[in-house]
Amino acid sequence: MAGPTTTAAQRGARRTNGTSSARSRPSRPGPRGGRTRLPSPRTVLVVLAALALVASTVWVLYGSKWLRVRDVTVSGTRVLAPARVEAVAAVPLGSPLASVDTDAIAERLRRELPRIDSVDVVRSWPDGIALEVTERKPVLLLEQGTKFVEVDRKGVRFATVDRQPRGVPLLRLTADQSPSLRRFDTERLIREAVGVAGELPAAVARDTRIVGVRSYDSITLELTRNRTVVWGSGEAGEAKARALTALMKASPKAGHFDVSAPTAPAASRS
């Protein structure tokens, strides 16, 4: 009885060992599992063509002699000399047009030429830079000795000139003793006067010689033919402009107009 039992046990052990060996063997990859697919020739050609296109574009823009700055044009100037604008711009002639720092040129122009209100620096392909300038326009003048300081619609003092530009009124500030200076400084009063000048009807603006400011709410106009206008504060400017236009049409021979209260304007001969 002992013999068959031992034999059966040995067969069972062999089966068990065989199973363990089979489980411990590393699995072989399938016929497709470990194979790396290479790109097709068509894909390789497309990639190479794209790289060649990028390289040629970069070379044309930055390395070739065809797209380099050769010409600078200036437009929009009325007082400034175009040659002066071009000199301050300092556009790097001969440099690749694509590499020109247009923002830096614009900033330099605005900083060194305060008369410039805005400027567009435009690449003009294939080889030009265009400087499109907008100059500040004076709406009032401040006397400074024998010269005049120009003030634009934003209240910016941007230039000093020897002669009074035609059609630009003087600003006369007499607010030294005004209590309003405690609340509104000189710069604020100048801005108020600028605002009034901007609200004037065109016909009145042409005839205005002096804008007087005694305080925040006491602004007057001196016109041609010894006419005066009491404007009051800078508030309700559009309504005051309409009232003044109507008064001048209704009383063309009047010499004094008061629109400080635009709902109750008044006109008189003196």
Side-chain angles (χ1 to χ4, degrees):
M1 294 299 292
T5 302
T6 304
T7 303
Q10 290 174 347
R11 286 199 297 269
R14 284 197 295 271
R15 284 198 299 270
T16 302
N17 292 337
T19 302
S20 299
S21 300
R23 289 178 179 175
S24 62
R25 291 195 200 101
S27 59
R28 295 181 180 178
R32 296 182 181 179
R35 186 178 299 171
T36 303
R37 295 186 61 184
L38 296 175
S40 66
R42 179 185 178 85
T43 302
V44 173
L45 289 175
V46 170
V47 172
L48 291 176
L51 291 175
L53 179 60
V54 171
S56 61
T57 301
V58 171
W59 180 82
V60 169
L61 289 175
Y62 296 95
S64 73
K65 62 181 180 180
W66 302 314
L67 303 180
R68 294 181 176 271
V69 182
R70 292 185 177 85
D71 185 44
V72 179
T73 59
V74 179
S75 63
T77 56
R78 301 176 63 225
V79 177
L80 290 169
R84 172 62 174 158
V85 174
E86 184 176 342
V88 172
V91 177
L93 295 176
S95 297
L97 186 58
S99 69
V100 174
D101 190 341
T102 57
D103 291 338
I105 292 174
E107 175 62 26
R108 183 162 55 249
L109 285 169
R110 288 192 297 267
R111 183 179 63 251
E112 297 189 24
L113 297 176
R115 185 175 290 277
I116 292 180
D117 188 15
S118 64
V119 57
D120 291 327
V121 182
V122 182
R123 292 182 179 86
S124 181
W125 300 94
D127 58 1
I129 288 289
L131 308 175
E132 301 172 1
V133 173
T134 300
E135 293 183 359
R136 298 182 189 274
K137 296 180 181 179
V139 296
L140 287 175
L141 299 171
L142 287 170
E143 285 187 284
Q144 190 177 72
T146 59
K147 298 182 182 296
F148 302 91
V149 178
E150 295 179 311
V151 184
D152 75 352
R153 59 187 175 84
K154 301 174 185 176
V156 176
R157 307 178 196 186
F158 62 91
T160 301
V161 295
D162 296 328
R163 297 181 181 180
Q164 180 178 354
R166 187 174 182 179
V168 183
L170 287 173
L171 172 58
R172 181 174 294 165
L173 281 170
T174 57
D176 297 345
Q177 305 300 320
S178 173
S180 66
L181 280 179
R182 298 174 183 175
R183 293 182 56 196
F184 308 105
D185 59 14
T186 299
E187 293 301 320
R188 174 63 184 275
L189 295 179
I190 290 176
R191 289 196 298 271
E192 291 298 316
V194 166
V196 170
E199 298 283 3
L200 295 178
V204 177
R206 286 194 297 269
D207 289 343
T208 302
R209 297 293 175 260
I210 295 174
V211 176
V213 180
R214 293 180 58 191
S215 66
Y216 175 81
D217 55 0
S218 181
I219 299 175
T220 59
L221 311 176
E222 294 183 20
L223 311 182
T224 56
R225 303 198 301 274
N226 295 321
R227 294 171 295 167
T228 59
V229 178
V230 176
W231 192 269
S233 71
E235 300 174 2
E238 292 184 3
K240 292 176 181 181
R242 290 193 297 269
L244 181 57
T245 299
L247 272 182
M248 288 184 162
K249 288 182 178 179
S251 305
K253 295 183 179 180
H256 182 76
F257 305 90
D258 189 336
V259 293
S260 56
T263 56
S268 62
R269 289 184 176 272
S270 59

